[in-house]
Amino acid sequence: MTEHESGGNDGENEKKGVAGFMQRARDQARETSEKDVTKTAPFKAFEHATESVALNTMTEGRLFDVADALSDYRLQDVDVTDTTCGYCAVGCRFDLHTKDGEVLGARPTDPEKAPINGISTCVKGKFSYNYVNSDDRLTEPLVKENGEFREASWDEALSRVVDGLGGIIEEDSPDALGLISSSKATNEDNYAMQRFAREVIGTNNVDNCNRLCHAPTVAALKQTVGYGAASVGVEDLENTDCYLLSGSNTTEAHPVLATRIKQNVADGADMVVFDPRKVQIAEYADQYTRTEPGYDTAWINGLTRYIIANDLHDEAFIDERTDGFDELKEHLDQFTPEYVERVSGVPPEELASAAETIAAADSCCFCWTLGLTEHTNGTENVISMSNLALVTGNIGKPGAGLSPFRGQNNVQGGGGDMGPLPNNFPGYQPVTDDEIREKFEAAYDTEIPSEEGWRTTEQFLAADRGDLRGMYIMGENASLSEPGVDHAQEVLDDLDFLVVQDIFLTETAEHADVVLPATTAVESNGTFTSSSRHVQLVKRAIEPKGNTRGDWAILQALARRFGHDWDFASPSEIMDEIAELTPIYGGISHERLENGAELQWPCWNDDHPGTTRLYEEEFNTADGKASLIPTGPNEPADISDDEFPLTMTTGRVLYQYHTGTMTHREEGIMSYVGEDFVEINPETAANAGIENGDYVRVESRHGTIRVTAQVTERPGTDTVFVPMHFAESAVNTLTDEENLDTAARTPEYKVTSVRLRPGEESDPARTTRESGDRTLAESDD
Ligand SMILES: Nc1nc2c(c(=O)[nH]1)N[C@H]1C(S)=C(S)[C@@H](COP(=O)(O)OP(=O)(O)OC[C@H]3O[C@@H](n4cnc5c(=O)[nH]c(N)nc54)[C@H](O)[C@@H]3O)O[C@H]1N2
Ligand SMILES: Nc1nc2c(c(=O)[nH]1)N[C@H]1C(S)=C(S)[C@@H](COP(=O)(O)OP(=O)(O)OC[C@H]3O[C@@H](n4cnc5c(=O)[nH]c(N)nc54)[C@H](O)[C@@H]3O)O[C@H]1N2
Ligand code: SF4
Ligand SMILES: [Mo]
């Protein structure tokens, strides 16, 4: 195990640790409010402890370190705000301790206010807040003049945006514009963005990072069971008898959920993991099976076939609650164990034992993340998983269900539920449905196009063709996170007008004509919706820096300049409008949340308690039954060959977050995982003459990056892994912008054919990216 994979809390000690910590936390809160010590010392001590924690993983023992550091000093000068984490979609809540506009750190809040995490958090939620006070924060609007940015007043910047976007609408049409919303921002911000796109601009070309992520999950589950979301609540996930987990590096990407899963496994639950990399969660599994990237329909269908062939399926459930069994059964005939082994590398005995474990369990949770979705056949992968869950009767009962772990802090809500989507209004109400569209047209007093808009990836391709001329990008670092960095950057450069709304002058913002400075989650009020459908309050813990404004407030100011009389006084009023127009959020209000209600959608009205588990009685489909839909066989778009013999998968590490705009500002983190790398199997490395720590070139059909070799058994001999966190050697230099999921248009980030080349004498000691023989960007030595 490499150091960076030892994520999350130590499961074995957790119960004792949690109980003990709670008692201490309460006692300390009482004691310290009466203490009086020096003013500056606590923060030094806190920083010191922070660093020590950042350099290790977040075990309970470490939590005590920090608690001790703070508790030794007086706390009455410190402001305490309970809020929701702005990093990932687990949805941890905690108290943020702040002083004089600085975030000191997070500590457990009243567990009643933290239904998902109780008192646990991971290292990012707890300590990664330096970005908020970073000197690099955007604090004033910027406009570009003669190729250089200069500060501008809000008045000037907003006028330029109105001229820029308005000019393209006048010359061309609203559909010559594309808007990208942000799953980092609140539900209220995202609702405002979709309304802005449809009402003010007049287009459905609005999308968000969900497109690069779990859009295949949403598309698949919509077809099979009805809602594009996890069917289980956290309790099911914590208490199930069995997990089938695939394509999820849970300990690094969803550390707090990983802790819960590990605990349940320690208590006796079974866990089966299928993944091309032996990620840390696999070490806790009863069975780990290595797969070939990109061939997931094969082994998932193989499992379902085995279960049916051996009469292990749940006939009563299939009869009563599903459609399409006979067609599915027939279609599955081809997924014989021999076929499965040939294409996906899964040995027949491992297929059989996994199938038997799942079938024998009283309940099973089917868990996945991007390893299943970021493929040209991502939607089919998820449909296959849904078929397996349905055939075994594992949806809608305690401990059983579908559990995609969502990505960004608010991708479930802001990226989906709020409708900044080309095909859906808020609450997954289709834009193509006349009655629904009329409802929104009446509410917004405008006409809305009846056709679906372009998905993000399609917006970039449309711009390439000259069909899309301007973009409004809110909180997305598309220049690095889109597939094909060279393509994305060319598109951004060539646009007639680009406005970027962010908290930093990102690699994307560099291309903009106007940059609008937004508040961070720590300076905002509103709500985020977690992976488990919990709608939770986000509260302003410090005053907004400089001249920054909330994302919704910027959109409102612009809407007014375009002549629309938006008049929201607060995010709470926006939520009231959301509730009016969005049935699944019908009973959500800031007031209820403030009064302590734990609300998971669907929450139909003010008296409704919310829904912990979906589909207990019926599915959200026309006839209430779930659909079994045949999938595969299929293969990835970029198949390895003699020239590019290895398959590269890409993804995350615990300490870093995406394109690094937030985590690269943490010294502790950067001293730990500060440089890009490629994981290579020892056998592959030896054959290529590469040693651990060497700089090596990773070359694809699209470009080259130079990173350090990390020789490890985690990947198999045919696969390498590169993280997505480093601009100077951006891994998307190697990926292809045209290899997209058939249904959801999500990029195939998880399969790129590559070759490795050892470093040369003349190479500089740093990571880089290159396109052809042109060096595009370099990091400092
Ligand atoms: N620390 C940290 N946490 C994060 C984030 C972050 O940037 N940093 N980002 C958040 C976001 S937005 C998201 S979407 C989630 C993502 O969470 P994950 O999806 O868990 O993150 P990835 O690192 O992309 O890991 C994908 C997993 O899929 C496996 N995999 C690769 N190819 C295949 C394949 O073909 N088939 C299968 N079955 N598996 C495959 C990889 O080995 C890996 O285990 O994490 C969230 N949490
Ligand atoms: N190769 C490869 N590429 C990938 C992936 C992969 O696995 N492999 N994963 C994909 C996935 S799952 C995702 S989700 C995307 C992520 O891609 P992005 O969403 O582009 O990644 P982030 O770096 O999180 O960008 C978020 C931006 O929002 C800004 N921001 C933060 N808070 C706020 C706020 O409150 N308001 C505003 N306006 N801005 C804010 C940040 O500074 C940052 O610029 O990357 C995708 N790209
Ligand atoms: S697990 Fe996710 S939500 Fe929880 S503290 Fe970590 S980053 Fe935040
Ligand atoms: Mo994501």
Side-chain angles (χ1 to χ4, degrees):
M1 186 173 69
T2 59
E3 273 177 61
H4 74 258
E5 60 187 305
S6 55
N9 299 329
D10 179 352
E12 269 157 32
N13 299 326
E14 210 210 359
K15 271 195 179 140
K16 192 163 149 260
V18 168
F21 185 80
M22 280 311 300
Q23 195 49 51
R24 282 174 66 124
R26 288 215 178 92
D27 292 347
Q28 281 163 356
R30 222 173 295 120
E31 281 164 27
T32 48
S33 63
E34 289 149 21
K35 259 192 204 170
D36 186 12
V37 224
T38 72
K39 282 192 179 152
T40 49
F43 309 111
K44 288 231 169 71
F46 189 85
E47 273 167 21
H48 180 72
T50 302
E51 202 170 318
S52 88
V53 173
L55 290 171
N56 295 280
T57 45
M58 209 53 209
T59 62
E60 293 300 337
R62 287 285 156 189
L63 276 168
F64 285 118
D65 272 8
V66 177
D68 289 343
L70 260 180
S71 70
D72 285 345
Y73 302 99
R74 94 176 197 182
L75 285 183
Q76 62 260 51
D77 293 338
V78 175
D79 292 319
V80 178
T81 313
D82 67 287
T83 190
T84 308
C85 183
Y87 278 99
C88 93
V90 171
C92 298
R93 297 199 82 249
F94 37 67
D95 283 340
L96 269 190
H97 288 237
T98 57
K99 179 172 166 54
D100 301 335
E102 303 257 337
V103 183
L104 305 174
R107 291 183 70 191
T109 186
D110 175 354
E112 296 267 305
K113 293 183 183 170
I116 298 165
N117 60 310
I119 64 141
S120 312
T121 48
C122 78
V123 66
K124 291 183 300 305
K126 193 130 189 104
F127 295 115
S128 299
Y129 292 98
N130 281 338
Y131 79 92
V132 177
N133 286 305
S134 155
D135 290 342
D136 306 338
R137 268 291 295 284
L138 283 170
T139 52
E140 302 290 337
L142 304 175
V143 296
K144 201 174 264 170
E145 226 159 54
N146 304 323
E148 299 283 328
F149 283 118
R150 67 162 169 80
E151 287 187 1
S153 65
W154 273 104
D155 183 48
E156 184 188 0
L158 294 177
S159 296
R160 286 223 189 181
V161 176
V162 172
D163 291 347
L165 300 178
I168 293 175
I169 296 174
E170 246 168 61
E171 281 169 29
D172 206 318
S173 82
D175 288 332
L177 293 173
L179 298 94
I180 296 183
S181 201
S182 182
S183 300
K184 303 252 38 107
T186 62
N187 285 324
E188 293 76 2
D189 296 326
N190 279 282
Y191 175 82
M193 183 50 131
Q194 73 79 34
R195 185 173 159 181
F196 183 83
R198 298 190 158 107
E199 176 191 328
V200 179
I201 302 295
T203 182
N204 285 320
N205 291 341
V206 57
D207 207 356
N208 68 85
C209 74
N210 176 53
R211 189 64 48 204
L212 312 179
C213 181
H214 264 296
T217 294
V218 177
L221 299 185
K222 178 97 188 113
Q223 291 174 61
T224 61
V225 289
Y227 287 119
S231 75
V232 296
V234 188
E235 276 160 31
D236 290 327
L237 197 61
E238 284 176 4
N239 296 311
T240 184
D241 289 329
C242 176
Y243 301 92
L244 172 62
L245 194 134
S246 184
S248 162
N249 183 0
T250 328
T251 53
E252 299 201 57
H254 299 92
V256 167
L257 288 185
T259 309
R260 300 301 154 85
I261 292 172
K262 288 191 292 192
Q263 180 66 52
N264 192 26
V265 170
D267 290 345
D270 289 320
M271 178 159 62
V272 178
V273 172
F274 282 74
D275 199 298
R277 285 164 75 218
K278 192 169 186 201
V279 283
Q280 195 212 12
I281 193 84
E283 318 237 347
Y284 298 80
D286 300 279
Q287 177 182 332
Y288 163 66
T289 293
R290 206 190 277 292
T291 58
E292 279 298 318
Y295 292 93
D296 294 281
T297 52
W299 65 264
I300 305 174
N301 283 339
L303 286 177
T304 313
R305 179 188 181 277
Y306 182 98
I307 282 170
I308 297 170
N310 290 280
D311 224 3
L312 300 170
H313 53 300
D314 185 337
E315 237 175 277
F317 185 92
I318 294 169
D319 283 351
E320 281 163 35
R321 303 207 52 190
T322 70
D323 286 324
F325 180 69
D326 292 340
E327 295 88 322
L328 177 71
K329 183 170 178 240
E330 196 181 319
H331 176 81
L332 290 175
D333 272 352
Q334 60 196 304
F335 293 91
T336 59
E338 298 69 36
Y339 169 81
V340 173
E341 181 172 40
R342 183 163 52 79
V343 303
S344 66
V346 175
E349 56 285 4
E350 294 188 22
L351 191 74
S353 72
E356 305 228 353
T357 304
I358 294 164
D362 289 339
S363 59
C364 185
C365 273
F366 298 81
C367 310
W368 70 92
T369 316
L370 305 180
L372 288 196
T373 62
E374 288 179 337
H375 290 285
T376 44
N377 53 332
T379 301
E380 292 210 358
N381 285 340
V382 178
I383 291 175
S384 314
M385 206 62 156
S386 172
N387 289 341
L388 177 58
L390 289 165
V391 161
T392 53
N394 270 311
I395 304 189
K397 66 178 188 184
L402 300 166
S403 187
F405 305 144
R406 304 302 302 270
Q408 294 270 32
N409 51 309
N410 194 30
V411 68
Q412 179 64 56
D417 307 345
M418 292 302 111
L421 294 167
N423 55 339
N424 285 333
F425 290 114
Y428 307 96
Q429 304 175 82
V431 295
T432 48
D433 182 312
D434 292 342
E435 211 176 307
I436 303 263
R437 203 173 54 257
E438 279 158 24
K439 173 172 86 171
F440 281 90
E441 289 182 336
Y444 301 163
D445 191 18
T446 191
E447 218 171 288
I448 299 171
S450 57
E451 293 90 44
E452 295 183 359
W454 281 314
R455 278 76 181 147
T456 306
T457 42
E458 293 171 332
Q459 288 185 23
F460 276 80
L461 295 173
D464 213 4
R465 298 191 304 270
D467 293 339
L468 188 131
R469 295 177 44 203
M471 288 179 93
Y472 186 160
I473 301 181
M474 167 172 122
E476 176 117 330
N477 199 0
S479 114
L480 297 177
S481 58
E482 281 289 311
V485 164
D486 295 336
H487 176 256
Q489 298 194 347
E490 253 174 61
V491 162
L492 294 171
D493 264 341
D494 290 350
L495 289 172
D496 291 340
F497 187 76
L498 172 65
V499 50
V500 171
Q501 183 165 311
D502 207 287
I503 59 174
F504 291 107
L505 189 64
T506 59
E507 291 78 3
T508 305
E510 295 281 0
H511 299 267
D513 297 283
V514 179
V515 181
L516 303 174
T519 53
T520 63
V522 175
E523 300 151 310
S524 303
N525 288 308
T527 54
F528 291 156
T529 304
S530 72
S531 203
S532 49
R533 294 172 283 105
H534 281 86
V535 186
Q536 307 193 102
L537 283 175
V538 177
K539 296 188 190 167
R540 175 177 286 178
I542 57 170
E543 287 306 307
K545 297 280 160 213
N547 248 329
T548 57
R549 293 186 183 176
D551 286 297
W552 69 271
I554 300 173
L555 289 159
Q556 170 155 297
L558 273 171
R560 291 171 74 96
R561 279 171 185 253
F562 271 103
H564 296 254
D565 60 347
W566 288 26
D567 194 20
F568 296 115
S570 66
S572 159
E573 287 188 10
I574 302 181
M575 184 50 86
D576 293 343
E577 182 171 305
I578 295 167
E580 259 170 52
L581 291 166
T582 314
I584 57 172
Y585 274 65
I588 309 271
S589 68
H590 285 208
E591 195 185 349
R592 280 187 84 183
L593 294 170
E594 196 61 72
N595 289 338
E598 179 187 342
L599 298 177
Q600 280 165 281
W601 68 256
C603 174
W604 304 108
N605 56 52
D606 291 346
D607 301 319
H608 194 269
T611 310
T612 306
R613 181 183 307 121
L614 295 177
Y615 318 127
E616 281 180 312
E617 308 283 324
E618 56 177 15
F619 291 95
N620 182 39
T621 53
D623 63 358
K625 289 188 173 190
S627 303
L628 293 163
I629 303 173
T631 57
N634 35 32
E635 57 186 18
D638 185 1
I639 295 181
S640 52
D641 54 20
D642 289 348
E643 212 186 335
F644 296 96
L646 299 168
T647 300
M648 177 186 72
T649 78
T650 59
R652 292 150 176 80
V653 302
L654 172 69
Y655 288 95
Q656 290 294 355
Y657 204 83
H658 289 166
T659 65
T661 67
M662 292 154 77
T663 43
H664 285 195
R665 282 154 175 109
E666 299 291 333
E667 267 178 44
I669 280 177
M670 290 311 282
S671 69
Y672 193 48
V673 189
E675 198 180 50
D676 211 350
F677 59 89
V678 51
E679 281 183 357
I680 313 173
N681 185 281
E683 197 182 310
T684 315
N687 287 341
I690 292 166
E691 287 187 24
N692 196 35
D694 284 356
Y695 279 97
V696 293
R697 284 189 163 72
V698 186
E699 300 177 333
S700 80
R701 302 182 212 278
H702 299 275
T704 299
I705 59 173
R706 227 173 123 263
V707 294
T708 47
Q710 213 174 81
V711 177
T712 154
E713 303 271 355
R714 294 228 289 180
T717 48
D718 299 335
T719 307
V720 295
F721 167 80
V722 180
M724 61 173 291
H725 305 299
F726 300 92
E728 62 278 4
S729 49
V731 73
N732 282 324
T733 307
L734 308 183
T735 57
D736 187 313
E737 65 277 5
E738 291 188 12
N739 295 343
L740 305 176
D741 177 50
T742 325
R745 318 306 287 155
T746 296
E748 191 151 58
Y749 292 122
K750 295 295 187 251
V751 177
T752 304
S753 299
V754 297
R755 64 181 171 223
L756 300 173
R757 245 189 331 123
E760 287 156 22
E761 285 282 306
S762 57
D763 281 340
R766 62 195 176 204
T767 56
T768 52
R769 73 182 201 91
E770 297 162 30
S771 176
D773 52 8
R774 198 159 50 104
T775 298
L776 294 170
E778 292 178 345
S779 69
D780 293 326
D781 279 5

